[in-house]
Amino acid sequence: MIECDDCLGGFHLGCLKPPLRKVPDGEWICGFCERRRKGEVLEMPRPPEGKKLRRTAKEKLLSSDLWAARIERLWKEPDGSFWMRCRWYMIPEETAVGRQPHNLRRELYRTNHSSDIEMESVIRHCSVLNPKEFSEANNEGDDVFYCEYEYDVRWHSFKRIADINDDDDEEENNGRTEKDEEWKISKDTGCETDDDSENEDVAAESTSCKHPTHELAANSRKGRAFGLHKIGIKKIPEHVRRHNQTELEKAKATLLLATLPKSLPCRNKEMDEITSFIKGAICDEQCFGRCLYIHGVPGTGKTMSVLAVMRSLRSEVDAGRMKPYCFVEINGLKLASPENIYKVIYEALTGNRVGWKKALNCLNERFSDGNRVGKNQPCVLLIDELDLLLTRNQSVLYNVLDWPTKPRSNLIIIGIANTMDLPEKLLPRISSRMGIQRLCFGPYNYHQLQEIISTRLKGIDAFQDQAIEFASRKVAAMSGDARRALEICRRAAELADYRLKHSPTSSCSMNASSKGKCSVGMPDIEAAIQEVFQAPHIQIMKTCSRLCKILLVAMVHELYRSGVAEITFEKLATTVFSLCSSNREPVPGWDNLLKVGCKLGECRIILCEEGVKRRLQKLQLNFPSDDVAFALKDCPELPWLSKYL
Ligand code: ATP
Ligand code: MG
């Protein structure tokens, strides 16, 4: 038999007129659908008289009378009933944008909405396949569905599942990361990460969404498992489960940059401003020309603050206190080219992947006529590392920043970058759109850094107060970067942990440390600072030749000036010549400069494109600019360098 890709009706190959010998490759549409597409009014064949018309599970599912879900956890309640945590799938009609022309008939979206329901509501197994599996599916039966995207039911945005899995892999490689959901929801004691391949897709009747007993009834209580173990999960050995972390181990874990802090001290004012900007823009019916530019040096909590605001607004939307809106988050660093932003935005809004030119046209249409797609829901677009969208003719920034100015676009843009004067560097027609509302995240002073570190370490007795103060003062004097301060403290905790575990009186020290009596002191912080700031690349910068130093400073100077990380060799040479001549330094020849550039490229202090482009070869610093500033600020042989850092 063959199935029509439009109405999903089944046909015998031999009964078709003309009959088909084999199933054709690609899409096949039945004669009825073909004629209907041409506009003919058709009467579909009636089922034989006397037979009761019965709808299949697939038909019910595709008309929202049944739901597909993916079982993520199973357990047995004390009363003997079996329960499961399931994650729902949705049909395209149930999303905010509705069914779109590119949707397949059997397409489902995996959502981020989970419920705990009784196993009795499960009717039967169905297969939800990824695009590759779906294209290779053969004789899989009727309950087979296609799923390529995850749909965020709160933000009404789409994300390709393959990308989500990539991100998860990255996070796993980077160590333990707390997920978005865990910010608000307390973690079950027995809930370890699930093995994807073991999860089951089932068709279930939508019964109760949340059961009051589920918090109590997880299959592990107070660290002891009972009843069913989760399917596909290896039992964690008791000695690992029971391992009591020492104070230092707790400190190391909480100071990891990947750990989401429970609160963001010292940024209340900024977060209030962002909240009122978004609320104002969403409530304003016209939603005209809304754009907020956030700037500040690295590690000042810009990204974290915006994301924290979005989380708290999400709970207001959930509680019905705010109009729903969709949220799309983009990081310039993750785009292969600035133009790709159109593709990414379009994909997030519609779950459809097209080339960037087509995406640009569709977005232009959407934002100039707000009613077309998305039921005119407001959309908040966060563009982190906005400066990376800068192109030679600035067209990407122009196009993106032009959308919110359209009367019915309902678009709100929040742009984040490091450079304060990015709007001024842009063409006037762009800066007039971007530079109206700005918010500056200043570097943290030592009091603030101290508060940030102490808040993170609340309840963990691992650090002496002077040690935290010392680290905060050091970082505040250099950059005011919370990321650096946290890194230094975490490294100090590691050093202290190592010292304790390897000291001759190791066992008694461990007892002491677990009681919290042994703390990270000033010498550990001092050693960590030495390590962070005496890193090999900083040593190289400090000890390299005069011309190398001038070249590095010229790169930083250009970076500050243009806001763009890459610079051509030609432009860099011009800057070096002008720095040298205005500071009475002998102006180097092109060949010398090239030699120095190659040397820095060889030791990966800078990254170089391949040399065939000659003067147009692009160069970029491989380390943060403040490392160059730290290494060369007080250079005795070239004191004038500090003017440019
Ligand atoms: P960049 O410009 O490099 O992107 P950023 O300003 O976006 O930096 P974030 O990524 O928001 O900085 O923060 C860097 C790190 O510092 C994060 O790990 C965050 O947890 C921590 N951090 C920054 N500010 C605070 C704060 N006020 N409280 C707690 N942690 C903070
Ligand atoms: Mg950031």
Side-chain angles (χ1 to χ4, degrees), residues 257 264-265 298-304 385 418 444 452 456 482-483:
L257 289 178
L264 282 179
T300 45
K302 299 180 294 294
T303 309
M304 280 279 168
E385 315 290 352
N418 292 133
Y444 291 115
I452 291 169
R456 281 232 186 185
R483 199 181 277 130

Side-chain angles (χ1 to χ4, degrees), residues 3-5 8 26-27 58 62 103-108 127-148:
E3 184 179 83
C4 167
D5 282 310
L8 300 187
E27 198 187 42
K58 171 210 70 190
L62 293 179
N103 285 131
L104 301 184
R105 279 296 298 154
R106 285 176 180 269
E107 182 157 357
L108 300 180
S127 306
V128 180
L129 309 178
N130 65 32
K132 185 164 179 286
E133 290 164 345
F134 192 79
S135 66
E136 289 164 0
N138 200 0
N139 283 332
E140 312 279 327
D142 198 32
D143 296 331
V144 177
F145 301 93
Y146 169 96
C147 179
E148 189 180 3

